[in-house]
Amino acid sequence: MKIRNILIILGAVALNTFVSLYIGESAYNWLPVQAAAESLLVDRLFSFLVTLGAFIFLGVTGTLIYSMIFHRAAEYDLSDGPAIEGNLTLEIVWTVIPILLVFWIAGYSYQVYVKMAIRGPMEHAHSHQMEAVSVAENREKIEVISKQWAWVFRYPDRNITSTELHLPVDRRVHLALTSEDVIHGFYIPAFRVKQDIIPNHKIDFEFTPIREGNYRLTDSQYSGTFFATMAANVVVESAEDYQNWLEDAAKRKPSAAYNQAAFEYNQELQHPHASGWQTIAPASPPVVNYHN
Amino acid sequence: MKIDDFKKINIEVERLHYDRLEKEPGRDWKRYFTFSTDHKVIGIQYLVTAFFFFLVGGIFAMIIRAELITPASDLVDRTVYNGMFTMHGTIMLFLWTFPSLVGLANYLVPIQIGAEDMAFPRLNAAAFWLVPVVAILTIAGFFVPGGSAQAGWWSYPPVSTQNPTGFLINGQFLWILAIFVSGISSIMGAVNFVTTIFRMRAPGMTLFRMPIFVWTVLSAQIIQLFGLPALTAGSVMLMCDLTVGTTFFDPALGGDAVLFQHFFWFYSHPAVYVIILPIFGIFSEIFPVYSRKPLFGYHVVAISSIIIAAVSALVWVHHMYASGTANWMRLVFMISTMCVSVPTGIKVFAWLGTIWRGKLRFNTAMLFALGGLVMFVFAGITGIMLAAVPIDIHVNNTYFVVGHFHYVLYGTVTMGMFAAIYHWFPKMTGRMYNEGWGQIHFWLTFLGTNLNFFPMHSLGLHGMLRRVASYAPEYMFSNVLASLGGFLLGMSTLPFIFNIIISWIDGEKAGNNPWRAIGLEWLVASPPPIENFDEIPIVISEPYGYGKSEPLTLDRPFIEVETIEKITLATTDNQVEINNN
C-alpha cells in the first residue's frame, strides 16, 4: 500500500514536471520579438520562472482538486475529519525548500541583471581591459529629450534632431535621457528595457539592438492628459542604412513635426468637450531635422 | 483546571460579574444611522458603506473597460478617463477594501477574543464617521471646476502638482485632503485594534489561543501604525507643494520628485499586507470549518502573520525599480521582496494540509475561499516574477502588473471578503442566506474575475501600458475579453445584493451555530446580544478543535465562585472587588 502511494506521488510529480517544462518552453511565445540582446536574457529568466511557477501552481491546484473530488463529506455525515494538527517534518520541509528556491531565483535574476548592464557587442573577442575600451568607443551616443507629450532624439556628433529613433543594429547604444517637465518613462517592449526619466537628472542608459525592423517606443510613466499619445517609432537598421539616414537627415532643414497631443489639444480648443475638464497645454510640436 | 491556564488575564476583574443590561439588539434598523458605539453596529456600518463604494468604484471600472474595448479614445475625453482610473483606484482602496476589512474586524475581533466591545468605543465610532467625510471629499472632486484628481492613485509629482485649473480648491486638492482624513481614521482604528487585542482578551484567551483572524488583524493594524504616518506626512507635503508653493517635490526648484515615491510606497506597499493579511485570517477560519479539521500548523501560521508584517516594511522599493533607483537598492529589495513568499507559502501549504483528507462541504463561503486561494497562488507566482528586477523592468507599469494586483485585490481580497460575508451572515443577521443564489454568485464572480484579469497578463507581456486611454490596434483582442469580463463582474454583484437584502428581511432563522463551527462568536445568539456575552467566557483550549471533542470554554455553572476569585486575584495586579450577585 505504501509503495503504491509513493509510486502514485512520483508519477504525479513526473507528470507535473513534464507539463511545467512544456509551459515554460512555450512562455517564449507570450513575449514580443527579441530585438535586443537584453531581450534574450530577460526571456530566458521569464521562461525559467514560468516553469517553476507552473510546477507550484499545478502542484497546489492538483492537490486541491484531488481533495475536492475524493474528500467530499457524504450528505448526512456530520462527523469530523482526523484531528491532524500539524507535522513538524512537513512544516520544516515546506519552509526550507521555499527559502532555497528564493535564493536560487534571486541569484539567477542577479546574474541576468549584471549581464544586461555590462553586455557589449564584442565581449567574447577581447580581454576585459580591451573590451572596456573598445566598447566605450564603439557606443553610439544619442540624447533623448522627453516633454509633455513628445519625444525628441538628438544625435550630438552630427547635430541632428529627429522624432524617430534610428539605431544601428548589433551596436551598443548609449542614451542620455532627460525630461523637460514631469517624470516620463523610456520603454521599448521589443527590447525589454525601461527607465524612468527624472526631471533635472541626466540618466545614462544602454542596450544593444540585434534585429533590424520597426519597433515602438512609449512613455511608460504616467505623464498627464495625453500620456497615451506619447509614442515614437524606433528603426533598427544596418550600419550602412544608418549612415545614409544620418547623412540624409543632416541635409534637411528643421521644421515642426506632427504631434498627436498638440493636434488633439488644438481640436479641443475649437470644439471643447462637454466635461469642461482642463488640461496642461502640450509643449509646442518639436522642430526637428527629421520627422514623418 | 490549572491556575496556570489563567495567568494571562487581560480584562478588569469587575467585568467577570456585574449587572448587565440584557438588551437584545432587536431589528431596529435606525441604530445603523446613529453614532452608535456598539462594535457590531459599527462593523455593519463599515461593511454597508464600503459595499456601496465598491459599486461606485465598479461603475468607474466599467467605464474604463468600455473605453478600452476599442483602441481609439472615443468614449470619454482623456481628462475624464484619467479621472476615472484615478478615482477607481482611490475608491476601491480607501473606500472599499480598507473600510470593509476594518468593518469585518470590528464585528469579529471583540467577540472572537471574548470582549464586550472595543477598547475605545467612542474612538471607534469617530473613526467610522470619518469614512463618510472621506467619501464626500473624494466624490466632491467631480463637482469642482476642472474635474476630479487625474494623477492616478499614486499622485506622483510633478504631474499631481501641475494644477491646470488655476484654482486653489481643485480635484487634486480634495483628493489629498481625502487621503489625509482617511489616514487619520485608519490610525485611530489601528490604535483601537491593537489595544483591544492586547488588553481585552477574556480569561484564558492567551495569544496562542486566539483565532488566526485575530492574529492577522493584529499584524495588519501594526503595519498601519508604522506605515501610515509616512503616507500621511507625504500627503501634507504634497498639499503644501500644490497650494502654498513649497518645493519639496518640485525638481524645477530644487525639490526631489522621487522622494514622494518613497513616502508613498513606504506605506502603500505594506498596505497590500494590511489588506491581504485579514483575508489570510478569513481563509484560516473558513477552511477548518468546512473541512471539519483543525487548522494545520496553527502556531506557525500565527507567527508567519507577524513575520509577513515585519518583512513588509522592507520591500517598498520594488515599486521603483524603474525610477532611477541605484543598482544596490534594486538588488537588496529584490531579495527582501522574494523573502515574503516564504511565510506566505507556509500559509498556503497549511491550508492545503487543512483541506487534505478533510470532510469537505462546498457551501458558498467555502467555494469563495477555495476560488480565492487558487487565484492567490496564481497572483503569488506572478508576484515573484515581478520581484525579479530584469522581468520587472520589462513589465513594470504594464497591464501585467494590473493583472497581477487585480488577482490579489479582486481574485483574493474581494473573493475572501465575500466568503467572510456569507460565512458570518447568519451570525450578523440571525438569518440564513439563499445557498443556490450564493453559488450562482460564486460562479459568475470566478468566471468574471478570470476573464477580466487573465488576458491582462498577456497584454502587459506585449508591452501595453497601464493608464492609457488609447492603444495600438494589436492589443484589441485581449482588451475585448477583459472588458467582457469586467461587465460580467458588474452583473455578478446583482445576485449577491438581492440575496443579502431578501435574506436579511425574510431569510430562514439561523441558530447560534449553523455551521457547527468552533469559536467564541458561535457560542452566542445570532445576532449577538449588545454586550456579546451574558458572562465573559473562560477559554481553556486552542481554536479549531475539530475532531478533538474538547470544550473551548469552561462550563461556568460548575465552578465555584471562590475558584473564580482565586483565578482572578492571582492574575491581576489591582485587586478589585468582585461583585457577586
Side-chain angles (χ1 to χ4, degrees):
Chain A
M1 192 63 191
K2 263 208 159 165
I3 290 170
R4 209 185 113 218
N5 284 348
I6 289 168
L7 284 178
I8 289 173
I9 289 170
L10 282 179
V13 170
L15 182 68
N16 191 358
T17 313
F18 179 75
V19 174
S20 303
L21 284 171
Y22 174 78
I23 294 174
E25 206 47 46
S26 49
Y28 288 102
N29 305 327
W30 309 342
L31 293 153
V33 288
Q34 299 177 322
E38 287 70 20
S39 56
L40 305 175
L41 295 164
V42 171
D43 292 6
R44 205 175 307 140
L45 176 64
F46 180 69
S47 162
F48 165 73
L49 288 181
V50 168
T51 311
L52 267 186
F55 185 83
I56 294 168
F57 183 78
L58 294 175
V60 170
T61 46
T63 315
L64 263 184
I65 289 169
Y66 175 88
S67 301
M68 289 168 73
I69 295 170
F70 295 104
H71 297 152
R72 298 181 82 109
E75 202 176 344
Y76 298 104
D77 179 5
L78 292 183
S79 65
D80 287 342
I84 307 163
E85 290 185 272
N87 180 323
L88 191 64
T89 323
L90 209 53
E91 285 167 49
I92 290 171
V93 165
W94 71 40
T95 309
V96 170
I97 290 181
I99 290 175
L100 296 178
L101 272 181
V102 160
F103 282 101
W104 186 17
I105 296 171
Y108 184 22
S109 302
Y110 173 78
Q111 274 183 346
V112 167
Y113 183 69
V114 169
K115 261 195 199 164
M116 279 171 76
I118 62 154
R119 192 179 177 91
M122 291 146 77
E123 59 185 323
H124 47 274
H126 298 272
S127 77
H128 277 291
Q129 262 185 334
M130 292 281 289
E131 175 195 317
V133 175
S134 69
V135 166
E137 280 173 355
N138 222 340
R139 276 174 207 176
E140 187 64 20
K141 289 201 172 76
I142 303 167
E143 292 168 13
V144 178
I145 301 136
S146 56
K147 54 188 166 182
Q148 285 172 317
W149 287 267
W151 294 103
V152 176
F153 309 102
R154 188 166 170 277
Y155 296 75
D157 295 346
R158 304 277 189 130
N159 203 16
I160 301 167
T161 50
S162 164
T163 52
E164 209 171 57
L165 178 59
H166 282 248
L167 302 170
V169 73
D170 288 333
R171 236 176 105 188
R172 190 84 174 155
V173 179
H174 179 103
L175 301 181
L177 309 173
T178 51
S179 163
E180 292 185 356
D181 37 48
V182 299
I183 304 175
H184 296 279
F186 180 97
Y187 177 39
I188 303 171
F191 294 179
R192 319 280 190 274
V193 293
K194 182 182 286 137
Q195 176 61 50
D196 281 6
I197 310 172
I198 315 290
N200 257 3
H201 287 69
K202 186 174 96 38
I203 292 175
D204 297 303
F205 199 52
E206 290 192 2
F207 51 84
T208 312
I210 53 164
R211 182 179 178 277
E212 289 178 38
N214 283 303
Y215 307 101
R216 208 166 169 76
L217 161 69
T218 46
D219 182 3
S220 59
Q221 187 60 270
Y222 176 66
S223 56
T225 310
F226 298 99
F227 165 62
T229 66
M230 195 166 152
N233 279 332
V234 179
V235 181
V236 178
E237 51 201 355
S238 64
E240 197 182 334
D241 288 348
Y242 178 66
Q243 284 307 324
N244 289 341
W245 177 80
L246 283 176
E247 274 157 34
D248 171 51
K251 285 180 207 147
R252 297 196 186 197
K253 280 236 162 69
S255 62
Y258 170 80
N259 181 264
Q260 178 74 16
F263 172 76
E264 287 189 26
Y265 181 72
N266 287 329
Q267 288 231 311
E268 277 167 34
L269 287 181
Q270 284 152 23
H271 312 281
H273 280 297
S275 74
W277 291 17
Q278 284 104 326
T279 171
I280 292 291
S284 48
V287 176
V288 291
N289 297 86
Y290 185 89
H291 58 85
N292 47 7
Chain B
M1 31 165 282
K2 286 181 298 180
I3 290 286
D4 285 9
D5 283 352
F6 307 103
K7 277 275 161 68
K8 296 223 165 159
I9 281 191
N10 285 284
I11 59 159
E12 295 83 21
V13 179
E14 76 265 30
R15 284 174 179 272
L16 282 172
H17 278 276
Y18 77 99
D19 294 322
R20 239 162 260 282
L21 297 168
E22 288 290 334
K23 257 194 270 166
E24 288 301 314
R27 296 177 66 79
D28 182 9
W29 55 271
K30 287 190 199 112
R31 69 206 162 98
Y32 291 113
F33 294 87
T34 63
F35 191 85
S36 169
T37 55
D38 180 348
H39 74 95
K40 297 184 290 300
V41 174
I42 295 173
I44 303 281
Q45 284 173 326
Y46 266 115
L47 283 168
V48 173
T49 312
F51 188 75
F52 173 77
F53 285 101
F54 175 61
L55 298 180
V56 174
I59 286 169
F60 292 172
M62 285 194 278
I63 294 171
I64 294 169
R65 286 315 322 168
E67 171 68 74
L68 293 179
I69 208 162
T70 56
S73 165
D74 45 15
L75 182 72
V76 292
D77 355 331
R78 291 186 189 274
T79 47
V80 174
Y81 179 83
N82 296 343
M84 282 297 127
F85 70 68
T86 301
M87 295 319 246
H88 165 73
T90 307
I91 288 177
M92 284 305 198
L93 283 162
F94 295 104
L95 291 169
W96 158 244
T97 40
F98 284 119
S100 65
L101 288 163
V102 167
L104 191 73
N106 234 299
Y107 197 100
L108 291 176
V109 165
I111 314 187
Q112 287 191 328
I113 61 171
E116 289 163 351
D117 206 319
M118 298 283 281
F120 311 113
R122 272 182 293 273
L123 183 70
N124 199 17
F128 166 73
W129 283 103
L130 285 179
V131 172
V133 176
V134 174
I136 289 166
L137 287 172
T138 310
I139 301 294
F142 288 103
F143 301 102
V144 293
S148 73
Q150 297 162 36
W153 84 277
W154 307 349
S155 268
Y156 278 7
V159 171
S160 59
T161 50
Q162 281 191 316
N163 189 14
T165 69
F167 297 114
L168 187 66
I169 308 287
N170 53 62
Q172 188 64 40
F173 174 90
L174 292 168
W175 185 92
I176 299 173
L177 208 57
I179 296 308
F180 179 74
V181 178
S182 166
I184 300 292
S185 163
S186 296
I187 292 172
M188 285 158 75
V191 168
N192 213 345
F193 277 115
V194 173
T195 315
T196 306
I197 293 169
F198 277 116
R199 300 292 307 163
M200 302 279 288
R201 300 196 307 276
M205 177 60 84
T206 57
L207 288 175
F208 282 105
R209 285 184 188 158
M210 297 197 305
I212 293 294
F213 183 73
V214 180
W215 273 99
T216 55
V217 169
L218 177 65
S219 318
Q221 297 298 328
I222 288 174
I223 295 177
Q224 295 279 52
L225 284 181
F226 73 68
L228 255 175
L231 176 66
T232 310
S235 74
V236 172
M237 291 161 82
L238 192 63
M239 178 67 105
C240 291
D241 274 15
L242 180 68
T243 55
V244 300
T246 56
T247 58
F248 293 116
F249 308 127
D250 183 356
L253 294 164
D256 185 349
V258 178
L259 179 64
F260 178 81
Q261 300 182 11
H262 283 287
F263 282 131
F264 182 82
W265 289 116
F266 183 78
Y267 171 64
S268 296
H269 190 81
V272 176
Y273 299 94
V274 175
I275 294 166
I276 199 80
L277 277 165
I279 299 297
F280 292 165
I282 290 165
F283 287 168
S284 307
E285 297 298 307
I286 285 177
F287 290 134
V289 178
Y290 299 94
S291 309
R292 309 305 309 166
K293 275 183 64 197
L295 183 68
F296 196 96
Y298 163 78
H299 291 84
V300 181
V301 174
I303 290 181
S304 62
S305 308
I306 300 286
I307 295 177
I308 291 175
V311 180
S312 80
L314 305 171
V315 299
W316 78 95
V317 177
H318 69 223
H319 291 269
M320 299 164 56
Y321 285 157
S323 307
T325 305
N327 280 339
W328 68 267
M329 276 173 108
R330 286 175 165 173
L331 298 168
V332 166
F333 282 90
M334 169 166 80
I335 292 171
S336 65
T337 301
M338 286 179 177
C339 284
V340 182
S341 66
V342 175
T344 313
I346 289 174
K347 290 194 173 216
V348 170
F349 295 131
W351 297 324
L352 276 185
T354 307
I355 292 164
W356 186 251
R357 287 180 60 203
K359 304 229 169 177
L360 304 185
R361 242 173 223 92
F362 299 106
N363 295 60
T364 308
M366 180 66 162
L367 286 176
F368 270 103
L370 285 169
L373 173 57
V374 169
M375 287 193 269
F376 177 68
V377 172
F378 185 78
I381 288 162
T382 54
I384 290 285
M385 293 174 185
L386 284 167
V389 176
I391 291 177
D392 183 73
I393 284 176
H394 173 45
V395 291
N396 178 296
N397 275 353
T398 68
Y399 264 87
F400 189 85
V401 178
V402 179
H404 160 74
F405 72 70
H406 278 91
Y407 262 81
V408 178
L409 285 167
Y410 208 115
T412 315
V413 174
T414 303
M415 295 283 278
M417 196 64 213
F418 282 132
I421 291 173
Y422 282 109
H423 182 64
W424 281 288
F425 181 82
K427 183 50 62 187
M428 293 175 177
T429 63
R431 307 279 176 159
M432 299 301 287
Y433 62 83
N434 182 300
E435 189 62 51
W437 283 105
Q439 306 218 350
I440 288 171
H441 176 212
F442 167 75
W443 285 110
L444 291 178
T445 312
F446 189 73
L447 290 176
T449 309
N450 286 298
L451 187 58
N452 194 347
F453 304 121
F454 189 74
M456 288 183 177
H457 293 86
S458 156
L459 285 172
L461 289 171
H462 281 98
M464 179 170 161
L465 290 153
R466 67 193 290 194
R467 299 183 168 141
V468 291
S470 52
Y471 55 84
E474 70 203 68
Y475 298 131
M476 186 160 160
F477 177 71
S478 294
N479 270 298
V480 170
L481 289 185
S483 292
L484 293 176
F487 303 141
L488 181 61
L489 276 184
M491 295 307 109
S492 77
T493 54
L494 296 178
F496 172 74
I497 295 169
F498 290 123
N499 193 355
I500 291 302
I501 292 177
I502 293 169
S503 303
W504 201 331
I505 296 169
D506 198 30
E508 199 185 314
K509 282 241 157 62
N512 289 3
N513 191 358
W515 314 126
R516 300 183 298 117
I518 297 176
L520 291 182
E521 76 267 34
W522 302 106
L523 299 177
V524 297
S526 306
I530 285 186
E531 285 175 333
N532 298 345
F533 303 95
D534 294 335
E535 271 182 332
I536 292 295
I538 296 177
V539 182
I540 54 170
S541 53
E542 280 185 11
Y544 317 113
Y546 298 95
K548 295 205 292 183
S549 35
E550 64 179 31
L552 180 65
T553 57
L554 202 62
D555 215 354
R556 210 187 270 267
F558 298 105
I559 0 170
E560 318 245 316
V561 172
E562 293 88 72
T563 323
I564 295 181
E565 221 168 303
K566 242 195 276 170
I567 294 163
T568 52
L569 291 182
T571 50
T572 45
D573 300 328
N574 307 326
Q575 300 197 352
V576 185
E577 222 179 289
I578 296 174
N579 181 0
N580 286 322
N581 295 0

